[in-house]
Amino acid sequence: MVRLLPKDRKLRRWVIIILIITFILVASLLIYSVVASSKHKPDNPPTTRPPHVYEDPVAFHVYSRGNYTDVNSTIRYENAYVNTGSMDLETGVFRAPTDGTYVFNFIAPRYSNTTNEVLCLNVRLDRNGLPIGNGPICGDSYEQWTPASFNAVLKLKLNDTVGMFLEQGAIKASKGSDPPRTHFTGFLLEGESAFHAFRTVESFASRKNETIPFHGLNTDIKSNFNLTASTFTAPVNGTYFFQFSGSSSTSTDVILVRNDEEPMGYGYTRISHWGSAGFHTMWPLQNGDKVYARLNTGQLDEADRDLKITNLLGFIVADELSDSMNSSIHFHVIRTSSLYTGRPDGIGQLINYTRIISNEGEGMNASSGIFKAPESGVYAFHFTSHRGSTYIGPNACSTVIQMRNNETIGTSSNCHSTYSAPIFFHSVLSLQTNDEISMLLHEGDISPVIDHKMCARFSGFLIYST
Ligand SMILES: *[C@@H]1O[C@H](CO)[C@@H](O)[C@H](O)[C@H]1NC(C)=O
Ligand SMILES: *[C@@H]1O[C@H](CO)[C@@H](O)[C@H](O)[C@H]1NC(C)=O
Ligand SMILES: *[C@@H]1O[C@H](CO)[C@@H](O)[C@H](O)[C@H]1NC(C)=O
Ligand SMILES: *[C@@H]1O[C@H](CO)[C@@H](O)[C@H](O)[C@H]1NC(C)=O
Ligand SMILES: *[C@@H]1O[C@H](CO)[C@@H](O)[C@H](O)[C@H]1NC(C)=O
Ligand SMILES: *[C@@H]1O[C@H](CO)[C@@H](O)[C@H](O)[C@H]1NC(C)=O
Ligand SMILES: *[C@@H]1O[C@H](CO)[C@@H](O)[C@H](O)[C@H]1NC(C)=O
Ligand SMILES: *[C@@H]1O[C@H](CO)[C@@H](O)[C@H](O)[C@H]1NC(C)=O
Ligand SMILES: *[C@@H]1O[C@H](CO)[C@@H](O)[C@H](O)[C@H]1NC(C)=O
Ligand SMILES: *[C@@H]1O[C@H](CO)[C@@H](O)[C@H](O)[C@H]1NC(C)=O
Ligand SMILES: *[C@@H]1O[C@H](CO)[C@@H](O)[C@H](O)[C@H]1NC(C)=O
């Protein structure tokens, strides 16, 4: 056994005394240094530091090919393109792995059979089992593939849950070997500015190009959305993403305006079709620029006060001044003229673009319509287009397909037989350097229809590098 203290009693006492003195000296030195350092750094006391910083990226894209008819349940999924681990396909529930601001997008086509009754599909996004908002679509059976959609920007706490709930109707399966039509995506935002505004009053009609009034905010990071004016003010120079969703049973045109003049995007729906006049857009803004949604014609309907179906959301994608944001790769391109498939081979035609709003990283070749990933990472893509007003017959759809290299990622249609309505698609994909993403017009047509000269808009941005 090893002795710590000498055997001699006198010597032992001295050693103990010296140890005690040494301890007191060291302890007082330590206390002094802590006090001194906190005095020298009054702006950064240790108590305000977060307990732990979450470094891992969070993203998912889950999808299904089959029917989903389980009314009053959280929608479940068959497969995933991306899942950093927080989305449970078996339950359809996403669980936040960290506090933060998250973006969600959902799309699924309405099931209808051969009768001519009006059938609705109504999906709802729930946070911790409580409704955030609804994305309904109703129509006759011939609009067979027209989808319901919903988007949200939400501030979540660790372990908060998000899922899509099937409130009414049924989701239709892709036919044959068609690519999947049901898609749910989400990711953690890095940006410092984000908002999600919603309406709560039954309907809003305007013939005077009025600003669409919003009544509440699910999210308003940095308070850049003024509810009274229903206007977003850009806090810094940068590129911002926006999404509008709203439904109507009458002919309705909504546009998103920058500084009372420039239309940044528009959506519309037509009479006899109770559906979304939604759209997305992504635009470079300067500090102080004002952005708001305007109702040019028609009416936005709310099914009732509890169903929040008119939503405007936005967030910063790239801050021009700071290198702290990683999404330096982003693009937004627009096709300004009509496009007919004219391809009897059934393969479809690559959609190309005539106007470049942004192309940081030079990944998008607008004239070919192909985005080539400048670096490997997880990217978010959004596509909005409008159907032409040409009558192409009953059961005739305009259908787009998203391709990753030679693989079909998903498809979306609008099948209203006579009038224009938006076609949406969105994805969150993991890409290798030089992987190619493109949109094909598989059948039908896309058209600018009214004079905003935007018949298709395609945008994408890097969420995180790998
Ligand atoms: C979806 O449901 C329809 C109608 O019930 C049925 O005909 C079809 O086979 C189903 N599709 C799949 C992929 O289960
Ligand atoms: C779904 O739930 C609602 C409200 O609880 C209820 O009225 C409705 O009958 C349910 N539908 C089905 C198909 O279970
Ligand atoms: C069509 O679907 C609706 C709702 O699921 C159902 O009530 C109706 O009986 C169906 N009609 C036919 C002809 O299958
Ligand atoms: C979050 O959930 C995990 C796994 O269920 C659990 O271990 C942890 O204690 C939870 N944390 C909080 C703050 O609820
Ligand atoms: C509404 O806006 C449209 C296009 O932006 C314009 O053509 C029309 O004159 C405007 N109407 C009114 C009443 O200001
Ligand atoms: C919000 O907008 C209203 C109406 O334009 C204005 O009176 C108010 O000062 C604005 N609030 C802020 C915080 O800018
Ligand atoms: C924002 O952009 C404008 C126009 O390019 C420029 O004049 C201004 O200095 C920029 N602001 C900042 C803070 O860099
Ligand atoms: C772009 O699309 C148009 C219309 O389909 C087509 O005529 C043209 O050849 C395309 N351009 C390129 C470079 O592929
Ligand atoms: C863009 O695509 C067009 C048409 O395919 C091609 O001619 C052109 O070289 C491409 N541009 C670049 C920079 O790759
Ligand atoms: C796609 O398929 C064609 C023919 O099968 C092939 O020539 C081409 O290299 C493929 N492209 C990619 C990006 O895999
Ligand atoms: C962001 O960029 C920095 C520097 O380029 C890098 O160290 C960091 O890992 C990136 N973060 C993510 C989430 O990609």
Side-chain angles (χ1 to χ4, degrees):
M1 195 179 144
V2 185
R3 275 194 163 276
L4 287 174
L5 293 172
K7 220 172 181 177
D8 177 21
R9 281 187 140 206
K10 250 189 183 167
L11 202 58
R12 204 147 104 184
R13 193 176 298 147
W14 276 112
V15 168
I16 289 172
I17 288 169
I18 288 166
L19 277 175
I20 289 172
I21 290 169
T22 314
F23 174 78
I24 290 171
L25 273 172
V26 168
S28 47
L29 264 172
L30 272 175
I31 290 169
Y32 173 77
S33 67
V34 166
V35 169
S37 74
S38 64
K39 263 188 189 162
H40 283 121
K41 286 188 267 171
D43 295 337
N44 196 13
T47 46
T48 61
R49 240 172 251 158
H52 116 273
V53 179
Y54 194 85
E55 301 276 356
D56 298 338
V58 184
F60 70 87
H61 180 161
V62 291
Y63 63 91
S64 297
R65 279 197 161 78
N67 295 315
Y68 193 89
T69 55
D70 213 349
V71 179
N72 289 342
S73 76
T74 298
I75 297 165
R76 300 177 295 276
Y77 308 90
E78 297 164 1
N79 219 327
Y81 289 123
V82 169
N83 188 4
T84 53
S86 306
M87 165 52 89
D88 183 348
L89 273 75
E90 308 271 311
T91 59
V93 172
F94 170 81
R95 184 175 293 274
T98 178
D99 295 6
T101 309
Y102 293 81
V103 179
F104 298 97
N105 272 266
F106 179 86
I107 189 168
R110 181 178 59 95
Y111 174 82
S112 64
N113 47 26
T114 51
T115 64
N116 259 343
E117 19 174 358
V118 171
L119 294 174
C120 296
L121 166 62
N122 193 358
V123 295
R124 186 180 86 202
L125 188 138
D126 287 347
R127 173 174 58 190
N128 296 332
L130 297 171
I132 291 292
N134 285 66
I137 180 103
C138 302
D140 299 327
S141 57
Y142 57 74
E143 300 164 347
Q144 51 179 323
W145 293 109
T146 306
S149 65
F150 193 78
N151 352 297
V153 172
L154 297 175
K155 214 174 161 181
L156 301 181
K157 293 256 175 253
L158 168 68
N159 286 350
D160 276 359
T161 60
V162 168
M164 292 301 304
F165 188 85
L166 179 58
E167 198 168 283
Q168 183 192 4
I171 293 171
K172 189 173 180 172
S174 294
K175 64 176 180 212
S177 58
D178 267 13
R181 290 177 178 268
T182 301
H183 299 270
F184 187 29
T185 64
F187 59 89
L188 175 64
L189 263 188
E190 271 198 58
E192 290 274 285
S193 178
F195 73 93
H196 179 162
F198 58 83
R199 287 178 47 73
T200 54
V201 176
E202 272 99 17
S203 72
F204 177 65
S206 167
R207 299 203 177 280
K208 294 183 295 189
N209 292 343
E210 283 164 283
T211 303
I212 296 169
F214 289 88
H215 308 111
L217 289 158
N218 287 318
T219 308
D220 191 16
I221 312 294
K222 295 276 160 93
S223 306
N224 299 131
F225 194 87
N226 181 336
L227 259 189
T228 318
S230 288
T231 297
F232 172 77
T233 305
V236 292
N237 290 359
T239 299
Y240 294 75
F241 178 91
F242 297 95
Q243 235 170 344
F244 174 85
S245 59
S247 291
S248 181
S249 52
T250 184
S251 292
T252 295
D253 296 349
V254 175
I255 73 171
L256 198 70
V257 192
R258 185 182 75 93
N259 295 343
D260 296 331
E261 45 193 44
E262 188 177 23
M264 294 160 50
Y266 75 105
Y268 54 98
T269 183
R270 286 293 177 260
I271 194 156
S272 87
H273 170 104
W274 206 84
S276 177
F279 59 91
H280 90 278
T281 187
M282 205 167 95
W283 221 261
L285 300 179
Q286 283 174 26
N287 174 15
D289 276 358
K290 297 203 178 312
V291 172
Y292 58 93
R294 199 167 81 183
L295 186 62
N296 272 11
T297 53
Q299 169 174 324
L300 291 166
D301 298 323
E302 306 293 314
D304 64 56
R305 274 169 189 276
D306 295 329
L307 301 185
K308 300 186 179 102
I309 64 176
T310 306
N311 294 270
L312 178 62
L313 58 85
F315 53 86
I316 188 164
V317 167
D319 175 342
E320 274 164 20
L321 291 178
S322 133
D323 290 334
S324 69
M325 297 206 43
N326 287 33
S327 190
S328 52
I329 297 171
H330 59 86
F331 71 89
H332 181 199
V333 289
I334 297 176
R335 184 176 177 88
T336 53
S337 50
S338 304
L339 182 62
Y340 291 81
T341 49
R343 290 280 303 250
D345 56 11
I347 295 169
Q349 183 162 332
L350 251 173
I351 300 171
N352 61 27
Y353 308 89
T354 46
R355 187 174 169 203
I356 300 169
I357 305 300
S358 65
N359 192 12
E360 283 300 315
E362 307 291 325
M364 169 49 89
N365 181 335
S367 72
S368 72
I370 297 172
F371 173 76
K372 198 179 231 188
E375 62 177 71
S376 65
V378 171
Y379 291 76
F381 296 98
H382 287 86
F383 179 85
T384 305
S385 69
H386 302 282
R387 170 116 200 241
S389 55
T390 314
Y391 182 78
I392 44 177
N395 285 314
C397 300
S398 287
T399 299
V400 299
I401 296 177
Q402 186 169 77
M403 304 291 296
R404 171 171 63 189
N405 303 325
N406 285 354
E407 174 197 7
T408 56
I409 293 298
T411 187
S412 183
S413 301
N414 202 296
C415 302
H416 195 283
S417 60
T418 48
Y419 281 111
S420 182
I423 304 167
F424 310 118
F425 192 75
H426 64 89
S427 61
V428 167
L429 299 172
S430 180
L431 302 183
Q432 301 301 314
T433 307
N434 291 335
D435 272 0
E436 294 184 349
I437 300 289
S438 59
M439 299 298 303
L440 297 181
L441 183 58
H442 179 70
E443 58 181 337
D445 59 2
I446 55 178
S447 170
V449 188
I450 44 181
D451 52 352
H452 295 301
K453 302 256 182 289
M454 297 183 197
C455 69
R457 283 188 293 285
F458 189 29
S459 67
F461 54 89
L462 179 65
I463 306 172
Y464 61 88
S465 314
T466 50

